Amino acid sequence: NTVGGGRRDDAAAALDNMVASGQDLKSAIAALPAIMKTATASGANAKDLSDIVIKGVQNGYIKNTPEAISSAMDKSVAAGRAGQFELPDMAHWLGNQMSAGKLAGLSGDKGFDRILAMNQAAMMSAGSKDEAGNNVVNLLAKLNSADTAKDFKKQTGGDLSRYLIKSTKKGGDSVDAWVGLLRDEMGKNKDYQAAQKKLTNAKTPEEQRAASESVTNIAMGTSVGKYFQDRQALAALIPLLSDSTGVGKKVGDAIAGANGTVDFGYQTYGTTTAYLQDQAANTNDAAVTDAFNTLKSAIDGVIGSFTELAQSMPKTTATAAGIAGITCARTLLQAGHR
Protein backbone atom coordinates (compact mmCIF):
# COMPACT_ATOMS: atom_id res chain seq x y z
CA ASN A 1 0.00 0.00 0.00
CA THR A 2 1.92 3.03 -1.27
CA VAL A 3 -0.79 5.63 -0.64
CA GLY A 4 -1.80 5.24 2.98
CA GLY A 5 1.03 3.15 4.38
CA GLY A 6 0.56 0.00 6.43
CA ARG A 7 0.86 -3.64 5.39
CA ARG A 8 -0.90 -5.15 2.39
CA ASP A 9 -2.59 -7.78 4.54
CA ASP A 10 -4.11 -5.08 6.77
CA ALA A 11 -5.38 -3.17 3.75
CA ALA A 12 -6.88 -6.37 2.32
CA ALA A 13 -8.66 -7.11 5.62
CA ALA A 14 -10.15 -3.60 5.76
CA LEU A 15 -11.24 -3.77 2.12
CA ASP A 16 -12.78 -7.22 2.57
CA ASN A 17 -14.64 -5.98 5.67
CA MET A 18 -16.20 -3.08 3.78
CA VAL A 19 -17.22 -5.18 0.79
CA ALA A 20 -18.65 -7.89 3.06
CA SER A 21 -20.80 -5.24 4.75
CA GLY A 22 -22.49 -4.48 1.44
CA GLN A 23 -20.41 -1.52 0.30
CA ASP A 24 -19.67 -1.59 -3.41
CA LEU A 25 -16.08 -2.36 -4.39
CA LYS A 26 -15.44 1.01 -6.06
CA SER A 27 -16.48 2.97 -2.95
CA ALA A 28 -14.55 0.63 -0.66
CA ILE A 29 -11.36 1.07 -2.71
CA ALA A 30 -11.87 4.86 -2.70
CA ALA A 31 -12.19 4.85 1.12
CA LEU A 32 -9.14 2.65 1.69
CA PRO A 33 -6.36 5.32 1.45
CA ALA A 34 -7.95 7.42 4.23
CA ILE A 35 -8.38 4.35 6.43
CA MET A 36 -4.83 3.11 5.91
CA LYS A 37 -3.32 6.57 6.37
CA THR A 38 -5.22 6.94 9.65
CA ALA A 39 -4.14 3.49 10.81
CA THR A 40 -0.53 4.35 10.01
CA ALA A 41 -0.68 7.73 11.73
CA SER A 42 -2.52 6.56 14.86
CA GLY A 43 -1.57 2.92 15.40
CA ALA A 44 -5.21 1.84 15.24
CA ASN A 45 -6.21 -1.38 13.47
CA ALA A 46 -7.26 -0.78 9.85
CA LYS A 47 -10.10 -3.31 9.99
CA ASP A 48 -11.45 -1.65 13.14
CA LEU A 49 -11.31 1.74 11.42
CA SER A 50 -13.23 0.30 8.49
CA ASP A 51 -15.95 -0.63 11.00
CA ILE A 52 -16.27 3.07 11.91
CA VAL A 53 -16.69 3.92 8.25
CA ILE A 54 -19.22 1.12 7.70
CA LYS A 55 -21.40 2.04 10.68
CA GLY A 56 -21.01 5.75 10.01
CA VAL A 57 -22.21 5.38 6.42
CA GLN A 58 -24.99 2.92 7.28
CA ASN A 59 -26.39 5.13 10.05
CA GLY A 60 -26.15 8.43 8.21
CA TYR A 61 -23.24 10.03 10.09
CA ILE A 62 -20.65 9.87 7.30
CA LYS A 63 -21.24 10.42 3.60
CA ASN A 64 -19.81 7.66 1.44
CA THR A 65 -17.17 9.85 -0.22
CA PRO A 66 -13.37 9.90 0.24
CA GLU A 67 -13.54 13.51 1.45
CA ALA A 68 -16.19 12.83 4.10
CA ILE A 69 -14.40 9.71 5.30
CA SER A 70 -11.10 11.61 5.56
CA SER A 71 -12.86 14.32 7.57
CA ALA A 72 -14.36 11.74 9.96
CA MET A 73 -10.92 10.19 10.47
CA ASP A 74 -9.40 13.64 11.15
CA LYS A 75 -12.07 14.41 13.75
CA SER A 76 -11.70 11.04 15.45
CA VAL A 77 -7.93 11.37 15.83
CA ALA A 78 -8.18 15.01 16.98
CA ALA A 79 -10.86 14.20 19.58
CA GLY A 80 -8.81 11.32 20.94
CA ARG A 81 -5.75 13.50 21.34
CA ALA A 82 -7.75 16.23 23.07
CA GLY A 83 -9.15 13.79 25.63
CA GLN A 84 -8.39 10.36 27.02
CA PHE A 85 -10.62 8.19 24.84
CA GLU A 86 -8.35 7.54 21.88
CA LEU A 87 -8.85 6.24 18.37
CA PRO A 88 -8.28 2.52 19.09
CA ASP A 89 -10.99 2.83 21.78
CA MET A 90 -13.32 4.59 19.36
CA ALA A 91 -12.71 1.88 16.77
CA HIS A 92 -14.07 -0.60 19.31
CA TRP A 93 -17.09 1.42 20.51
CA LEU A 94 -18.21 3.91 17.86
CA GLY A 95 -20.11 1.34 15.82
CA ASN A 96 -22.53 0.47 18.63
CA GLN A 97 -22.70 4.09 19.74
CA MET A 98 -23.70 5.37 16.30
CA SER A 99 -26.38 2.69 16.00
CA ALA A 100 -27.82 3.67 19.39
CA GLY A 101 -27.50 7.38 18.61
CA LYS A 102 -29.50 7.00 15.41
CA LEU A 103 -32.49 5.83 17.46
CA ALA A 104 -32.14 9.00 19.54
CA GLY A 105 -32.20 11.18 16.44
CA LEU A 106 -28.47 11.82 16.05
CA SER A 107 -27.04 11.83 12.54
CA GLY A 108 -24.77 13.68 10.14
CA ASP A 109 -21.61 15.59 10.97
CA LYS A 110 -23.15 17.16 14.06
CA GLY A 111 -24.26 13.80 15.43
CA PHE A 112 -20.83 12.29 14.80
CA ASP A 113 -19.13 15.23 16.54
CA ARG A 114 -21.52 14.88 19.46
CA ILE A 115 -20.69 11.22 20.03
CA LEU A 116 -16.94 11.90 19.80
CA ALA A 117 -17.28 14.56 22.49
CA MET A 118 -19.51 12.38 24.67
CA ASN A 119 -16.83 9.70 24.81
CA GLN A 120 -14.24 12.17 26.08
CA ALA A 121 -16.63 13.55 28.70
CA ALA A 122 -17.58 10.03 29.82
CA MET A 123 -13.97 9.42 30.84
CA MET A 124 -14.48 11.89 33.69
CA SER A 125 -16.76 9.45 35.51
CA ALA A 126 -15.51 6.09 34.25
CA GLY A 127 -12.88 3.82 35.71
CA SER A 128 -11.73 2.57 32.31
CA LYS A 129 -12.10 3.33 28.62
CA ASP A 130 -14.34 0.34 28.05
CA GLU A 131 -16.56 1.49 30.89
CA ALA A 132 -16.76 4.96 29.35
CA GLY A 133 -17.62 3.52 25.93
CA ASN A 134 -20.31 1.28 27.38
CA ASN A 135 -21.77 4.13 29.44
CA VAL A 136 -22.16 6.23 26.29
CA VAL A 137 -23.88 3.35 24.48
CA ASN A 138 -26.33 3.01 27.37
CA LEU A 139 -27.04 6.74 27.52
CA LEU A 140 -27.66 7.02 23.78
CA ALA A 141 -29.96 4.00 23.93
CA LYS A 142 -31.96 5.60 26.76
CA LEU A 143 -32.37 9.13 25.40
CA ASN A 144 -35.54 8.31 23.48
CA SER A 145 -36.36 4.76 24.58
CA ALA A 146 -39.87 3.56 25.43
CA ASP A 147 -39.13 3.24 29.16
CA THR A 148 -37.54 6.70 29.29
CA ALA A 149 -40.56 8.16 27.50
CA LYS A 150 -42.83 6.48 30.04
CA ASP A 151 -40.81 7.90 32.96
CA PHE A 152 -40.76 11.34 31.29
CA LYS A 153 -44.55 11.34 31.04
CA LYS A 154 -44.85 10.35 34.72
CA GLN A 155 -42.59 13.21 35.80
CA THR A 156 -43.75 15.98 33.46
CA GLY A 157 -47.01 14.83 31.94
CA GLY A 158 -45.55 15.56 28.53
CA ASP A 159 -44.62 13.61 25.41
CA LEU A 160 -40.87 12.92 25.16
CA SER A 161 -40.75 12.67 21.36
CA ARG A 162 -42.40 16.07 20.97
CA TYR A 163 -40.05 17.56 23.54
CA LEU A 164 -37.00 16.26 21.68
CA ILE A 165 -38.34 17.41 18.30
CA LYS A 166 -38.86 20.88 19.75
CA SER A 167 -35.21 20.99 20.78
CA THR A 168 -34.12 19.87 17.31
CA LYS A 169 -36.10 22.69 15.70
CA LYS A 170 -34.16 25.14 17.86
CA GLY A 171 -30.88 23.82 16.47
CA GLY A 172 -30.11 21.35 19.25
CA ASP A 173 -30.36 17.58 19.51
CA SER A 174 -31.70 15.04 21.97
CA VAL A 175 -28.62 15.40 24.18
CA ASP A 176 -29.06 19.20 24.34
CA ALA A 177 -32.71 18.72 25.26
CA TRP A 178 -31.96 16.45 28.18
CA VAL A 179 -28.99 18.48 29.42
CA GLY A 180 -31.14 21.65 29.44
CA LEU A 181 -33.97 19.98 31.33
CA LEU A 182 -31.80 18.31 33.94
CA ARG A 183 -29.63 21.35 34.55
CA ASP A 184 -32.75 23.28 35.45
CA GLU A 185 -33.94 20.56 37.81
CA MET A 186 -30.59 19.85 39.46
CA GLY A 187 -29.81 23.53 39.83
CA LYS A 188 -32.37 23.61 42.64
CA ASN A 189 -30.73 20.77 44.57
CA LYS A 190 -28.22 22.01 47.19
CA ASP A 191 -26.62 18.61 47.73
CA TYR A 192 -26.07 18.27 44.01
CA GLN A 193 -24.54 21.74 43.81
CA ALA A 194 -22.16 20.95 46.67
CA ALA A 195 -21.10 17.70 44.99
CA GLN A 196 -20.56 19.53 41.70
CA LYS A 197 -18.33 22.02 43.49
CA LYS A 198 -16.17 19.16 44.77
CA LEU A 199 -15.99 17.82 41.24
CA THR A 200 -14.88 21.23 39.99
CA ASN A 201 -12.11 21.37 42.58
CA ALA A 202 -10.89 17.80 42.03
CA LYS A 203 -7.14 17.78 41.25
CA THR A 204 -6.49 14.19 40.19
CA PRO A 205 -8.35 11.64 38.07
CA GLU A 206 -9.02 9.62 41.22
CA GLU A 207 -10.55 12.62 43.00
CA GLN A 208 -12.50 13.42 39.86
CA ARG A 209 -14.01 9.94 39.65
CA ALA A 210 -14.84 9.92 43.37
CA ALA A 211 -16.58 13.29 43.10
CA SER A 212 -18.40 12.20 39.97
CA GLU A 213 -19.57 9.06 41.76
CA SER A 214 -20.99 11.25 44.51
CA VAL A 215 -22.79 13.40 41.96
CA THR A 216 -24.23 10.29 40.30
CA ASN A 217 -25.45 8.92 43.65
CA ILE A 218 -27.24 12.17 44.41
CA ALA A 219 -28.75 12.33 40.93
CA MET A 220 -30.02 8.76 41.26
CA GLY A 221 -32.03 9.84 44.29
CA THR A 222 -33.69 12.77 42.53
CA SER A 223 -36.06 13.13 39.60
CA VAL A 224 -33.05 12.66 37.32
CA GLY A 225 -32.78 9.09 38.55
CA LYS A 226 -36.42 8.59 37.76
CA TYR A 227 -35.85 9.57 34.15
CA PHE A 228 -32.67 7.49 33.80
CA GLN A 229 -32.82 4.45 36.04
CA ASP A 230 -29.83 2.92 34.23
CA ARG A 231 -26.80 3.87 36.33
CA GLN A 232 -24.37 3.48 33.42
CA ALA A 233 -26.42 5.84 31.27
CA LEU A 234 -26.57 8.36 34.09
CA ALA A 235 -22.80 8.11 34.59
CA ALA A 236 -22.30 9.25 30.99
CA LEU A 237 -24.87 12.03 31.36
CA ILE A 238 -23.58 13.63 34.58
CA PRO A 239 -20.31 14.99 33.07
CA LEU A 240 -22.36 16.71 30.36
CA LEU A 241 -24.39 18.66 32.91
CA SER A 242 -21.41 20.49 34.33
CA ASP A 243 -18.14 20.25 32.44
CA SER A 244 -16.03 21.59 35.28
CA THR A 245 -12.72 20.57 33.68
CA GLY A 246 -13.37 22.20 30.31
CA VAL A 247 -13.04 18.92 28.42
CA GLY A 248 -16.10 19.69 26.31
CA LYS A 249 -14.71 22.96 24.97
CA LYS A 250 -11.25 21.49 24.45
CA VAL A 251 -12.60 18.56 22.45
CA GLY A 252 -15.03 20.79 20.55
CA ASP A 253 -12.21 23.10 19.52
CA ALA A 254 -10.08 20.12 18.47
CA ILE A 255 -12.87 18.72 16.31
CA ALA A 256 -13.54 22.09 14.72
CA GLY A 257 -9.87 22.44 13.77
CA ALA A 258 -9.29 18.78 12.90
CA ASN A 259 -8.71 19.20 9.16
CA GLY A 260 -5.27 17.81 8.26
CA THR A 261 -4.72 16.00 11.58
CA VAL A 262 -4.19 12.60 9.95
CA ASP A 263 -1.96 14.01 7.20
CA PHE A 264 0.30 15.62 9.80
CA GLY A 265 0.57 12.41 11.82
CA TYR A 266 1.16 10.38 8.67
CA GLN A 267 3.94 12.67 7.47
CA THR A 268 5.61 12.45 10.88
CA TYR A 269 5.36 8.66 10.97
CA GLY A 270 6.58 8.48 7.38
CA THR A 271 10.12 9.33 8.52
CA THR A 272 10.32 6.43 10.99
CA THR A 273 12.09 3.11 10.54
CA ALA A 274 8.84 1.20 11.10
CA TYR A 275 7.19 2.95 8.16
CA LEU A 276 10.14 2.29 5.88
CA GLN A 277 10.16 -1.38 6.93
CA ASP A 278 6.46 -1.69 6.07
CA GLN A 279 7.02 -0.12 2.67
CA ALA A 280 9.98 -2.40 1.98
CA ALA A 281 7.93 -5.45 2.98
CA ASN A 282 5.10 -4.33 0.68
CA THR A 283 7.53 -3.86 -2.21
CA ASN A 284 8.99 -7.32 -1.62
CA ASP A 285 5.54 -8.91 -1.45
CA ALA A 286 4.57 -7.23 -4.71
CA ALA A 287 7.78 -8.42 -6.38
CA VAL A 288 7.19 -12.01 -5.27
CA THR A 289 3.63 -11.85 -6.59
CA ASP A 290 4.78 -10.45 -9.94
CA ALA A 291 7.49 -13.11 -10.24
CA PHE A 292 5.04 -15.89 -9.50
CA ASN A 293 2.50 -14.52 -11.98
CA THR A 294 5.23 -14.37 -14.67
CA LEU A 295 6.25 -17.98 -14.08
CA LYS A 296 2.81 -19.35 -13.38
CA SER A 297 2.22 -20.80 -16.87
CA ALA A 298 5.59 -22.55 -16.85
CA ILE A 299 5.00 -23.98 -13.39
CA ASP A 300 1.50 -25.13 -14.35
CA GLY A 301 2.93 -26.84 -17.44
CA VAL A 302 5.57 -28.73 -15.48
CA ILE A 303 3.11 -29.84 -12.83
CA GLY A 304 0.60 -30.83 -15.52
CA SER A 305 3.17 -33.02 -17.30
CA PHE A 306 4.05 -34.87 -14.13
CA THR A 307 0.39 -35.31 -13.34
CA GLU A 308 -0.22 -36.98 -16.72
CA LEU A 309 2.81 -39.22 -16.21
CA ALA A 310 1.63 -40.22 -12.75
CA GLN A 311 -1.80 -41.12 -14.11
CA SER A 312 -0.37 -43.33 -16.89
CA MET A 313 2.32 -45.01 -14.75
CA PRO A 314 1.17 -44.55 -11.16
CA LYS A 315 3.35 -47.18 -9.48
CA THR A 316 6.56 -46.25 -11.22
CA THR A 317 6.36 -42.47 -11.34
CA ALA A 318 4.22 -41.30 -8.42
CA THR A 319 7.05 -40.60 -6.01
CA ALA A 320 9.48 -39.37 -8.66
CA ALA A 321 6.90 -37.09 -10.19
CA GLY A 322 6.10 -35.48 -6.86
CA ILE A 323 9.75 -34.88 -5.99
CA ALA A 324 10.68 -33.67 -9.45
CA GLY A 325 7.68 -31.38 -9.67
CA ILE A 326 8.45 -29.71 -6.36
CA THR A 327 12.14 -29.34 -7.21
CA CYS A 328 11.40 -27.87 -10.62
CA ALA A 329 8.86 -25.43 -9.23
CA ARG A 330 11.35 -24.25 -6.62
CA THR A 331 14.00 -23.81 -9.28
CA LEU A 332 11.72 -21.73 -11.44
CA LEU A 333 10.71 -19.54 -8.51
CA GLN A 334 14.34 -19.00 -7.53
CA ALA A 335 15.14 -18.08 -11.12
CA GLY A 336 12.30 -15.55 -10.96
CA HIS A 337 13.81 -13.93 -7.87
CA ARG A 338 17.14 -13.58 -9.66
Side-chain angles (χ1 to χ4, degrees), residues 15-71:
L15 182 64
D16 180 67
N17 192 38
M18 287 187 284
V19 173
S21 74
Q23 193 166 8
D24 66 273
L25 181 60
K26 183 178 179 180
S27 297
I29 291 174
L32 195 59
I35 291 172
M36 294 308 299
K37 186 178 286 187
T38 305
T40 301
S42 67
N45 180 276
K47 183 176 180 294
D48 289 342
L49 294 180
S50 71
D51 282 332
I52 295 178
V53 173
I54 291 167
K55 292 294 185 181
V57 170
Q58 289 177 342
N59 290 290
Y61 293 90
I62 304 172
K63 292 181 180 178
N64 196 14
T65 66
E67 296 78 15
I69 291 169
S70 292
S71 177

Side-chain angles (χ1 to χ4, degrees), residues 67-140:
E67 296 78 15
I69 291 169
S70 292
S71 177
M73 294 293 101
D74 276 338
K75 290 177 179 181
S76 299
V77 174
R81 290 178 179 173
Q84 300 175 25
F85 197 87
E86 298 178 294
L87 189 58
D89 310 304
M90 296 180 208
H92 181 67
W93 285 103
L94 272 177
N96 289 336
Q97 291 170 348
M98 288 189 287
S99 296
K102 182 179 180 180
L103 299 177
L106 299 182
S107 64
D109 289 339
K110 185 177 179 181
F112 188 71
D113 296 352
R114 167 67 79 182
I115 294 176
L116 292 178
M118 287 176 71
N119 279 315
Q120 305 306 330
M123 286 298 298
M124 296 171 58
S125 60
S128 68
K129 295 178 180 181
D130 277 342
E131 183 182 341
N134 185 64
N135 289 350
V136 171
V137 171
N138 284 17
L139 174 58
L140 290 169

Side-chain angles (χ1 to χ4, degrees), residues 161-220:
S161 294
R162 291 182 180 179
Y163 178 76
L164 296 180
I165 290 172
K166 184 178 179 181
S167 177
T168 302
K169 288 182 177 179
K170 292 180 180 179
D173 57 30
S174 54
V175 180
D176 292 318
W178 275 111
V179 168
L181 173 66
L182 299 180
R183 274 180 179 166
D184 288 342
E185 293 197 12
M186 298 308 294
K188 305 169 188 176
N189 188 300
K190 293 182 179 180
D191 290 336
Y192 177 83
Q193 293 301 315
Q196 279 287 7
K197 186 175 181 179
K198 287 184 179 180
L199 180 58
T200 301
N201 295 328
K203 303 298 182 183
T204 66
E206 290 73 20
E207 291 178 356
Q208 190 178 86
R209 281 193 291 272
S212 182
E213 180 75 8
S214 178
V215 172
T216 301
N217 288 337
I218 293 171
M220 285 294 292

Side-chain angles (χ1 to χ4, degrees), residues 29 95 118 128 141-142 150 153 175 185 198 200 213-214 228 244-245 284 313 325 331 337:
I29 291 174
M118 287 176 71
S128 68
K142 289 293 183 180
K150 184 177 179 181
K153 188 170 185 177
V175 180
E185 293 197 12
K198 287 184 179 180
T200 301
E213 180 75 8
S214 178
F228 293 94
S244 57
T245 63
N284 181 69
M313 301 177 64
T331 301
H337 282 300

